């Protein structure tokens, strides 16, 4: 099933950016990125000047897809949190509201436990924001002159 494209409104975008900034600060992370499941970069906070955020967003989405495939192979619905440990830097990926991937890059200045704790709180906040976005989109689709036209109406028009 193809997921409907989401439209971010400025007010909600600012809220999302504020959550990412707070997560970056409270988790003592190097950077926090939010990416949609299709690999589109949404926003970031922290040390991203030397990062290719477009590639990171695409690879994150690919990683999520591969991990979801692995989960299904062993009978799991998904792995909502994934951790990659490097020599200097680590990545913690988590699914938010079944729509986005929250990426936290951290080093020895933080810990996996702190990151997981802060990610949980931030994910709840982001989920509420995404629910508001969907509700707003639903309300606006009903307000347009095309909102009342159904697929059956279109089929009847051309049959």
């Amino acid at each position: 099933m193809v997921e409907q494209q989401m439209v971010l409104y400025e007010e909600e975008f600012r809220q999302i950016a504020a959550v990412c900034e707070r997560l970056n600060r409270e988790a003592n992370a190097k950077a926090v990125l939010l990416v949609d499941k299709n690999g589109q970069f949404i926003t970031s906070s922290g040390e991203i000047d030397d990062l290719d955020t477009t590639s990171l967003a695409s690879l994150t989405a690919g990683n999520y897809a591969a991990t979801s495939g692995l989960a299904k192979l062993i009978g799991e619905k998904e792995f909502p949190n994934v951790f990659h440990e490097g020599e200097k830097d680590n990545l913690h990926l988590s699914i938010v509201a079944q729509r986005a991937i929250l990426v936290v890059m951290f080093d020895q200045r933080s810990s996996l436990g702190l990151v997981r704790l802060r990610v949980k709180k931030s994910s709840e906040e982001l989920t509420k924001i995404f629910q508001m976005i969907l509700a707003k989109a639903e309300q606006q689709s009903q307000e347009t002159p095309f909102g009342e036209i159904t697929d059956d109406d279109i089929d009847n028009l051309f049959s």
Side-chain angles (χ1 to χ4, degrees):
M1 182 175 162
V2 177
E3 195 167 287
Q4 182 180 6
Q5 289 290 321
M6 181 175 48
V7 175
L8 277 181
Y9 300 94
E10 187 170 339
E11 178 184 340
E12 286 80 13
F13 177 77
R14 288 184 187 159
Q15 292 173 356
I16 289 169
V19 170
C20 289
E21 287 177 25
R22 188 172 46 252
L23 173 60
N24 187 50
R25 189 178 55 252
E26 291 180 352
N28 205 20
K30 289 180 77 174
V32 172
L33 292 91
L34 189 64
V35 176
D36 81 1
K37 286 169 61 175
N38 295 322
Q40 297 294 314
F41 174 81
I42 297 174
T43 190
S44 65
S45 175
E47 304 168 23
I48 61 160
D49 292 341
D50 295 332
L51 273 179
D52 179 354
T53 55
T54 302
S55 295
L56 185 63
S58 296
L59 292 169
T60 297
N63 183 296
Y64 167 75
T67 303
S68 293
L70 287 171
K72 288 177 181 154
L73 281 175
I74 64 168
E76 289 288 328
K77 182 179 174 191
E78 67 178 4
F79 295 127
N81 298 299
V82 176
F83 172 63
H84 296 282
E85 184 176 5
E87 285 185 32
K88 296 183 301 185
D89 295 323
N90 310 301
L91 289 176
H92 183 275
L93 313 176
S94 59
I95 302 301
V96 176
Q98 298 300 316
R99 294 197 157 268
I101 306 166
L102 187 59
V103 181
V104 179
M105 187 171 75
F106 64 100
D107 58 16
Q108 77 282 353
R109 295 176 291 174
S110 188
S111 68
L112 179 57
L114 178 62
V115 169
R116 283 184 173 160
L117 178 70
R118 301 300 186 198
V119 162
K120 184 176 180 183
K121 178 182 171 193
S122 297
S123 292
E124 292 169 359
E125 294 173 0
L126 289 169
T127 297
K128 289 177 185 172
I129 295 169
F130 281 118
Q131 289 171 343
M132 288 187 319
I133 292 168
L134 292 174
K136 186 184 271 187
E138 180 70 28
Q139 181 183 10
Q140 289 187 351
S141 72
Q142 292 174 354
E143 293 174 356
T144 66
F146 305 110
E148 63 191 34
I149 299 173
T150 66
D151 289 342
D152 289 337
D153 293 336
I154 294 170
D155 288 343
N156 290 335
L157 182 65
F158 293 105
S159 61

